[in-house]
Amino acid sequence: MAEAASMPQRAFRRVHWTALATAGLLGGCQTVLPRGVEPPAPTTRAPVAAAPRVDTGVQAGLPRDEGRNRVALLVPLSGSNAGVGQSIANATMLALLDTQNRSVRITNYDTATGAANAAQRAIAEGAQLILGPLLADDVRAVAPVAKAAKVPVLSFSNDTGVAGGGTYVMGYVPAQSVDRVVSYARGRGVTSFAGLVPNGLYGERASTSFLRAVESAGGQVVSLQAYGRTSGGMTTAVQRLNAKAPYDAVLIADGGATAAAAAPLVKRGVGAGTRILGTELWNSEANIGSRAALTGAWYASVSNGLYRQYATKYRARFGAAPYRLSSLGYDSVLLTVRISRDWAVGTPFPEARLRDGDGFAGIDGAFRFGRDGVAERALEVQEIRGGTAVTVSPAPGGFGK
């Protein structure tokens, strides 16, 4: 297990790197790949015994040994979200292989058949830490079960409302992305802002974050409009927005496809020079840079540098591209493996280690858990330019004192 040396940037403290972050992705650790199919042996050759099965440390059902710390992965493995759930499960397997872990055993449980029941079963089978669930409603169902058993939960949700009481949020929180892109825009001379946000919980939280971020940066919100996901909903909201023009930049707190559809409407009303701002949702789209309507737009997200290397390894092993969210599963294993150095088998997970102020690092860069249980992340700002996304403000390598 290795740690990174002190960060080269001034004013940053050390960030703890787990085994893979240094020895795997950065150091070229060899990944175990599926064996190819061999041709049939000649009839005159003696039968060859089958190669022993590689124990990856991941299994379905009750763990067989008593020599490893038991960790449960709760994700949807059936139903409408099975694709992303299976991708997260694959990512945890890959992380265990890349770290050559021998101290942690992860058992998968399907939340699609009942998240609370999955948690109860996991705890009954000895789990001392839960990775997941993915959906906020499932986290709410799991949290009281885990809390009663004093088992920490590292959820993949981005809903900060589920954090606390032993439940942690590893997902990409929109408030952090909004704050980062607004601060960058303010530093580039933007003083007046406008915003378009969808109806619903995400839009409400994005609105609150946007207002706070602009005020903190010393700017002014000229107009903030909500829209419904109905025919004509965005057009009507843009008309209301442009009635309050001019403004220097407009935040579109939605996915890349919606933002690309809204951007021409915005610029048609206030001028082509208006800067479009986006959120972390844009980073989930592999082709975001090819959306010509968003040329010149800025958005903040976790860094993609190590993720690209991870995605290459993932495709080589599983024959398909990973879901972007799968990196959360990978990084949760890196964190667990690191802490497992000081986690005696059969004892409770050392939850206090999760609140290490120096933080941790993985595929998605540096992160640490605050007192509220939400992962604070070091984000970069990207600009859509020339058919691709270009980093214009790199993510810091650690956290200041």
Side-chain angles (χ1 to χ4, degrees), residues 232-312:
M234 177 63 78
T235 300
T236 301
V238 171
Q239 290 173 348
R240 295 195 304 267
L241 189 82
N242 289 345
K244 301 292 184 67
Y247 44 81
D248 300 325
V250 56
L251 173 76
I252 305 177
D254 211 324
T258 299
L265 302 176
V266 171
K267 294 187 176 184
R268 191 177 305 145
V270 297
T274 301
R275 185 75 65 169
I276 302 297
L277 309 179
T279 72
E280 83 293 341
L281 294 178
W282 292 17
N283 201 43
S284 64
E285 299 189 23
N287 65 339
I288 187 67
S290 65
R291 297 190 181 279
L294 296 178
T295 297
W298 295 326
Y299 68 99
S301 70
V302 294
S303 174
N304 284 324
L306 290 178
Y307 177 82
R308 295 187 185 99
Q309 298 178 43
Y310 153 77
T312 298

Side-chain angles (χ1 to χ4, degrees), residues 1-4 16-31 94-95 97-101 306 309 313 330 334 337 361-362:
M1 198 74 62
E3 296 182 3
H16 296 307
W17 284 84
T18 54
L20 177 75
T22 52
L25 290 177
L26 297 183
C29 176
Q30 183 178 2
T31 302
L94 190 57
L97 288 169
D98 283 343
T99 57
Q100 299 182 359
N101 166 74
L306 290 178
Q309 298 178 43
K313 283 190 171 186
Y330 194 105
L334 296 187
V337 169

Side-chain angles (χ1 to χ4, degrees), residues 74 130-136 139 152-159 162-163 166-171 328 332 369 373 377:
L74 272 62
I130 290 176
L131 307 181
L134 173 64
L135 305 178
V139 180
V153 175
L154 290 180
S155 79
F156 305 135
S157 171
N158 67 351
D159 186 345
V162 302
T167 296
Y168 298 80
V169 168
M170 285 193 67
L328 294 174
S332 71
F369 292 104
R377 294 186 174 276

Side-chain angles (χ1 to χ4, degrees), residues 99-347:
T99 57
Q100 299 182 359
N101 166 74
R102 293 295 181 269
S103 62
V104 172
R105 177 176 292 282
I106 296 179
T107 308
N108 302 337
Y109 299 85
D110 186 4
T111 56
T113 57
N117 289 337
Q120 290 169 350
R121 181 185 169 200
I123 292 170
E125 293 181 355
Q128 298 286 356
L129 174 67
I130 290 176
L131 307 181
L134 173 64
L135 305 178
D137 285 345
D138 286 345
V139 180
R140 293 186 181 92
V142 166
V145 176
K147 184 176 181 179
K150 298 182 180 179
V151 173
V153 175
L154 290 180
S155 79
F156 305 135
S157 171
N158 67 351
D159 186 345
T160 58
V162 302
T167 296
Y168 298 80
V169 168
M170 285 193 67
Y172 317 125
V173 178
Q176 297 177 25
S177 173
V178 170
D179 183 75
R180 178 75 164 96
V181 75
V182 165
S183 297
Y184 177 77
R186 185 70 186 88
R188 294 293 298 270
V190 174
T191 59
S192 58
F193 296 79
L196 290 166
V197 297
N199 290 330
L201 183 59
Y202 183 90
E204 292 172 5
R205 291 182 173 172
S207 297
T208 301
S209 302
F210 182 54
L211 292 170
R212 289 176 178 173
V214 173
E215 180 182 7
S216 177
Q220 178 185 12
V221 176
V222 175
S223 181
L224 179 59
Q225 301 295 330
Y227 58 88
R229 300 183 185 280
T230 58
S231 177
M234 177 63 78
T235 300
T236 301
V238 171
Q239 290 173 348
R240 295 195 304 267
L241 189 82
N242 289 345
K244 301 292 184 67
Y247 44 81
D248 300 325
V250 56
L251 173 76
I252 305 177
D254 211 324
T258 299
L265 302 176
V266 171
K267 294 187 176 184
R268 191 177 305 145
V270 297
T274 301
R275 185 75 65 169
I276 302 297
L277 309 179
T279 72
E280 83 293 341
L281 294 178
W282 292 17
N283 201 43
S284 64
E285 299 189 23
N287 65 339
I288 187 67
S290 65
R291 297 190 181 279
L294 296 178
T295 297
W298 295 326
Y299 68 99
S301 70
V302 294
S303 174
N304 284 324
L306 290 178
Y307 177 82
R308 295 187 185 99
Q309 298 178 43
Y310 153 77
T312 298
K313 283 190 171 186
Y314 184 104
R315 283 191 294 268
R317 180 168 184 83
F318 300 108
Y323 279 75
R324 185 61 182 84
L325 288 176
S326 68
S327 61
L328 294 174
Y330 194 105
D331 284 355
S332 71
V333 173
L334 296 187
L335 182 157
T336 302
V337 169
R338 172 180 164 71
I339 292 179
S340 69
R341 296 188 310 177
D342 304 315
W343 181 15
V345 175
T347 64

